Amino acid sequence: MQKLLLLALVGLGAQLVDGSLGMAYGVTSTTLLLAIGTNPAAASATVHLAEIGTTLVSGLSHWRFGNVDWKVVLKIGVPGAVGAFAGATFLSNISTETAAPLMAIILLTLGLYVFLRFTFQGLPKGQLGKPLRKRFLAPLGVVAGFVDSTGGGGWGPVGTPAILASGRLEPRKTIGSIDTSEFLVAVAASLGFIIGIGSENIDFGWVAALLIGGVIAAPIAAWLVRHIPPRVLGAAVGGVIILTNSRSLLRSDWIDASDPVRYSIYAVIYVAWAAALVYAFSQYRKNRDEEKQIIAEAEAAAAAGEPDEKAPTPA
């Protein structure tokens, strides 16, 4: 019962961050399941089954708050589902001894990306209101879906920063669209895992616990997406992922580091993490007005672009 309660709280916290930041539900939940000794494929399957419900509720909540661009959802979500099914099939057919450290490396890489991206970069400028092309979103969806299945998370860490970096879609709609399209990815990945490892290897009690926590948090996160600074959340979540997966990797058979080496690395991570949180918060305060202006300009550009999309193309 205590483990189920912990999983529900993790699901709540992970979805709160995911719905506000556009990433981290899968990475955070999978990291915890691996830390308590779950098989990598079963861990990813558990998380993706729970995500079917959490992403559905999250998507509806973001839609209610006007955070979704449905064209982006379809252009990235369908290719993402293809990549997710392929990734689930791949992970289901490799050994646990190989998969565990491999997944830790993928998660650590994603954690570093999230950590650095949101600690040191603000919101993008320029290109606001310009359409996101299928030739950009389709390959991005395939890659993000594959990484999401094999890493137990990655749809948000790959998709959200890439779209934000393009500067063409305002942050809240980027986050809302990524969260909404993740429903297609979760369904495809779950089917791939059930075919690959069978439902008997999945603990549906754990699925239910993660689902309940995520469903409770989803509407709150959709509302909070306008208020929580992405830099601070990114630094915090990235630090958790880096620390946890560094621990898994250093204790794996691949490295098997000694206690002094491991503790020295942990100390460096803690110091860097604390410094990053302080820096991220200070930069947020320093650039708060500028970031609000960027968001306002993005909303104005999107509103101005809506009539143009309906207007006939000049001959």
Side-chain angles (χ1 to χ4, degrees), residues 165-189:
S166 73
R168 297 192 172 202
L169 190 66
E170 59 181 300
R172 70 182 179 89
K173 287 199 172 181
T174 298
I175 292 169
S177 300
I178 286 291
D179 272 11
T180 303
S181 59
E182 194 171 8
F183 171 75
L184 300 175
V185 174
V187 171

Side-chain angles (χ1 to χ4, degrees), residues 21 23 109-119 157 234-235 237-238:
L21 188 60
M23 64 181 72
T109 303
L110 292 172
L112 282 167
Y113 186 81
V114 171
F115 183 74
L116 296 173
R117 172 65 177 82
F118 284 92
T119 299
V237 173

Side-chain angles (χ1 to χ4, degrees), residues 76-213:
I76 195 172
V78 174
V82 174
F85 186 86
T89 303
F90 170 77
L91 186 61
S92 297
N93 287 283
I94 62 176
S95 68
T96 299
E97 291 74 15
T98 302
L102 179 61
M103 186 178 286
I105 290 173
I106 293 174
L107 291 168
L108 179 60
T109 303
L110 292 172
L112 282 167
Y113 186 81
V114 171
F115 183 74
L116 296 173
R117 172 65 177 82
F118 284 92
T119 299
F120 296 106
Q121 296 185 35
L123 297 174
K125 301 177 183 179
Q127 306 298 319
L128 289 171
K130 293 185 179 181
L132 284 159
R133 303 296 184 186
K134 188 175 181 179
R135 61 175 177 266
F136 166 69
L137 291 175
L140 175 64
V142 172
V143 172
F146 186 86
V147 171
D148 189 80
S149 289
T150 54
W155 179 251
V158 174
T160 299
I163 295 178
L164 281 175
S166 73
R168 297 192 172 202
L169 190 66
E170 59 181 300
R172 70 182 179 89
K173 287 199 172 181
T174 298
I175 292 169
S177 300
I178 286 291
D179 272 11
T180 303
S181 59
E182 194 171 8
F183 171 75
L184 300 175
V185 174
V187 171
S190 297
L191 288 174
F193 281 120
I194 289 174
I195 293 172
I197 65 174
S199 60
E200 66 274 7
N201 293 307
I202 300 171
D203 190 321
F204 286 94
W206 292 10
V207 172
L210 287 171
L211 174 61
I212 291 170

